[in-house]
C-alpha cells in the first residue's frame, strides 16, 4: 500500500503478510548476530565472521541482503556483513588478513532477506579489554538508538527521532555522522524515507508523520571525534576523517497502532 511522499519517493505501508516476513527475517538476523558476538575475540578475522553469517543465512532459507548490492559504488558489495573496525564507520569489506586485536572495537552490520523482505541491523562491541572512551562511545551510540526507538509511534515525525539521537550524542561530547542515514526498508533494503540522525532545518522530509505499517532501519553512526567521513580506495569503506573511532547500532522497526515493534529483536 502507498503512503506519503518524501523527496526520496513514496513511503510504503506494509500489510500483515509483509510484516510477518520481515519479522521472520529479523528473527534469523538476531540469531546470527548472537552467534557472531560469541565469535568475536582476538585472532578472529572479519572474513571468519562473514563466512559464518552467510552460511547461517542460507541455512535458514534466507538471502544475504548486502551481497551483490549495487547502489552507491563502482562494484557490487561482495560480502554478507560489513565489518567496521575502529575508525571504519560503515561498509568495511571483510578480509582474511584483517584479524581482531585486543582493544579493537568492531561493528557488525548484517542484512537478511526472507521471501524478498529484508531485516537490517548492526551492533558494535569491544575485542577483549577496550579503553574507557571506546566503551563510552559504544554505550552512547547504543543508547541513542534506544532513544530513537522510544520515539517511534503513530503521529511522531522523523524530526523527533533525529532530535533524540543528536541531542543526546552531542550532549555526551561525541559527533553524529551526517553523511549517512537510516532508511525505509521492506521489499528493498533501502526504501524511502531517508532517516537522518541529525536535524536539518528546513528539510520537509523531517515532518513526515509515522503511521502503522511503516518500517524503518534506524542506524545512528557516532564518531568519537569530528563528524566528517571519507571514502576509502575500494569504493565502499567509509572511515572517520580524523582517524577517531566510530560506533554503529541499527535495528529494523515497524510502526504499530500502539507504538512499534523491533523486527531485529531475538
Ligand atoms: N546497513 C547498511 C545500510 O543500510 C549496510 C548496507 S551495505 C550494502 O546502508 F552493501 F548493502 F550497501
Ligand atoms: Co541499514
Amino acid at each position: 500500500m502507498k503512503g506519503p511522499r518524501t523527496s526520496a519517493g513514496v513511503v510504503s505501508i506494509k500489510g500483515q503478510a509483509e510484516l510477518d516476513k520481515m519479522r521472520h527475517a529479523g528473527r534469523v538476523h538476531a540469531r546470527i548476530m548472537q552467534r557472531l558476538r560469541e565469535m568475536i575475540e582476538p585472532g578472529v578475522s572479519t572474513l571468519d565472521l562473514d563466512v559464518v553469517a552467510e552460511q547461517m543465512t542460507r541455512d535458514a532459507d534466507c538471502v544475504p541482503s548486502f551481497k551483490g548490492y549495487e547502489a552507491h559504488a563502482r562494484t557490487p558489495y561482495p560480502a554478507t556483513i560489513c565489518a567496521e573496525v575502529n575508525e571504519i564507520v560503515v561498509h568495511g569489506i571483510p578480509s582474511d588478513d584483517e584479524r581482531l586485536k585486543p582493544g579493537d572495537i568492531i561493528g557488525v552490520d548484517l542484512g537478511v532477506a526472507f521471501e524478498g523482505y529484508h531485516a537490517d541491523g548492526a551492533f558494535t562491541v569491544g575485542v577483549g579489554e577496550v579503553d574507557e572512551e571506546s566503551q563510552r562511545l559504544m554505550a552512547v551510540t547504543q543508547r541513542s538508538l534506544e532513544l530513537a526507538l522510544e520515539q517511534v509511534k503513530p503521529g511522531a515525525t522523523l524530526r523527533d527521532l533525529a532530535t533524540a539521537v543528536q541531542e543526546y550524542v552531542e550532549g555526551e561530547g561525541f559527533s553524529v555522522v551526517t553523511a549517512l542515514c537510516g532508511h525505509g526498508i521492506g521489499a528493498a533494503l533501502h526504501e524511502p524515507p531517508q532517516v537522518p540522525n541529525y536535524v536539518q532545518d528546513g528539510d520537509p522530509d523531517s515532518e513526515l508523520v509515522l503511521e502503522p505499517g511503516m518500517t524503518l532501519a534506524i542506524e545512528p553512526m557516532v564518531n568519537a571525534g569530528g563528524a566528517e567521513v571519507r571514502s576509502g580506495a575500494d569504493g565502499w569503506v567509509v572511515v572517520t576523517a580524523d582517524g577517531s573511532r566510530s560506533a554503529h547500532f541499527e535495528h529494523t522497526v515497524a510502526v504499530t497502532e500502539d507504538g512499534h515493534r523491533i523486527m531485529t529483536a531475538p
Side-chain angles (χ1 to χ4, degrees), residues 13-14 19 151-156 161 209-216 252-263:
I13 306 294
K14 278 79 178 177
L19 294 170
Q151 298 294 322
V152 178
K153 48 183 151 330
L161 278 61
V209 178
L210 300 185
E211 42 181 292
M214 290 182 178
T215 46
L216 305 174
T252 293
V253 65
V255 183
T256 61
E257 297 290 342
D258 54 3
H260 62 267
R261 184 173 188 206
I262 300 176
M263 306 304 247

Side-chain angles (χ1 to χ4, degrees), residues 66 109 120 181-183 189-190 217 219 250:
F66 302 167
D109 190 351
D120 185 8
C181 289
H183 48 94
L189 174 64
H190 294 143
E219 51 180 322
E250 177 177 18

Side-chain angles (χ1 to χ4, degrees), residues 197-242:
N197 299 299
Y198 60 99
V199 180
Q200 251 176 320
D201 279 325
D203 170 24
D205 289 355
S206 65
E207 308 314 327
L208 177 77
V209 178
L210 300 185
E211 42 181 292
M214 290 182 178
T215 46
L216 305 174
I218 304 175
E219 51 180 322
M221 292 149 272
V222 175
N223 296 349
E228 297 72 28
V229 299
R230 274 194 232 297
S231 295
D234 64 15
W236 276 104
V237 69
V238 176
V239 298
T240 58
D242 59 11

